[in-house]
Amino acid sequence: MNYRHAYHAGNFADVVKHVALVQILLHLQKKDTPFAVIDSHAGRGLYDLSSDEAQRTGEAENGIGKLHGLKGPEVLERYLSMVEESGPGTYPGSPLIAAKMLRPQDRLTAIEKHPEEAALLKEILSPFRKARAEEGDGYARLIAQLPPPERRGLVLIDPPFEAPDEFETAGETVRGAVRRFATGIYLIWYPVKSAAAARAFCGEVLTSGAGKVLNIEVTIDAPQGKLASAGLLVLNPPYGFDAAMHEILDRIAPRLPGGRARLEWLRGEA
Ligand SMILES: C[S@@+](CC[C@H](N)C(=O)[O-])C[C@H]1O[C@@H](n2cnc3c(N)ncnc32)[C@H](O)[C@@H]1O
C-alpha cells in the first residue's frame, strides 16, 4: 500500500467526484427519512495543500486551484464553500464532506486501510456524532454492512487502483454490493490510464445488474506522466442528476487546462 492521497488531493478528479458527492447528498436530504453513507476507501479526510506531498505534484493547482470564486449552481457553491470552510490551504476529502452534510438522523461509515491515514481520519471525524471511522479493508467491510438498516443511501467506492488486479476486485465488490443493496446509489471512481481497461471496468460494473448507470469522464491536458483522465460510474443516480452534473461540468471544465467532460447513460434513462 504505497498510495497516499495527499499527493493528489484537490486535483481535477477529486473536484468532479466531490461535486457529484455533494449533489447526491443534497438529493438524499430532500426526504426526512434517514440515509446512510458508506465510504469504502475514505483517506484521511483533510489535506494540507502546502505539504511536501501536495507541493511535489502540484496537482491541486490544476483542480481546485482553478475554481476559487466560481459562481454557479447551488451545488457548486455549496461544495466551494465547504472547501473554503476547511481552512486556508486545505482541502476536504470525501468523508469530511459527507460528515458535514449529515442530519441528526443520518449516518456515515468511513473505512480506511492504511493505519496512519485511518488514525488521522478518526481524529477528523471525531466532532461528528453520526460519523464513524473504521480501520480495515473497505471491500470486505462494505459488503458486511449491506444493506444498511436505513435501506436508503450512498455507497462511495474510491480505491487507489494500485494493485494490478484492483479493477477486478472493485468490479467484483460492486456486483456483491448491488446484490445486497440494489436500490442504493453508488458513486464509483476510476482512473483512465488505458481506455480499454476503463471500458472493461465499466462493462464489469454493468454486469452488477444495476438498473440505471451513468458514466462521466473528465479529461485535462496534464503534465507528462500525470493522470489526465478519470471517470465516475453512478449507479441509480437521483432524478435530474445528469442534467445537474452537465450544468456543473459546463462551468468547471473551461477553467481546467484543456478540460473536457463527457456524460453518457450506459443503462437506463437516456
Ligand atoms: C483515492 S484515496 C481516497 C480518497 C477519498 N475517498 C476522498 O475522496 O477524499 C484511496 C484510499 O484508499 C485507501 N486504501 C487502499 N486500499 C484500501 C482497502 N483495501 N480498503 C480501504 N482503504 C484502502 C488508501 O490508503 C487511500 O487513502
Side-chain angles (χ1 to χ4, degrees), residues 1 3 5 14 17-18 39-43 47 93-95 111-114 117 136-139 156 158-160:
M1 277 206 309
Y3 182 93
H5 197 61
D14 250 13
K17 169 180 63 189
H18 293 152
D39 187 345
S40 65
H41 294 72
Y47 299 90
S94 54
I111 310 157
E112 168 58 46
K113 189 171 183 183
H114 195 285
E117 300 289 303
D137 175 40
Y139 293 117
L156 170 60
D158 183 19

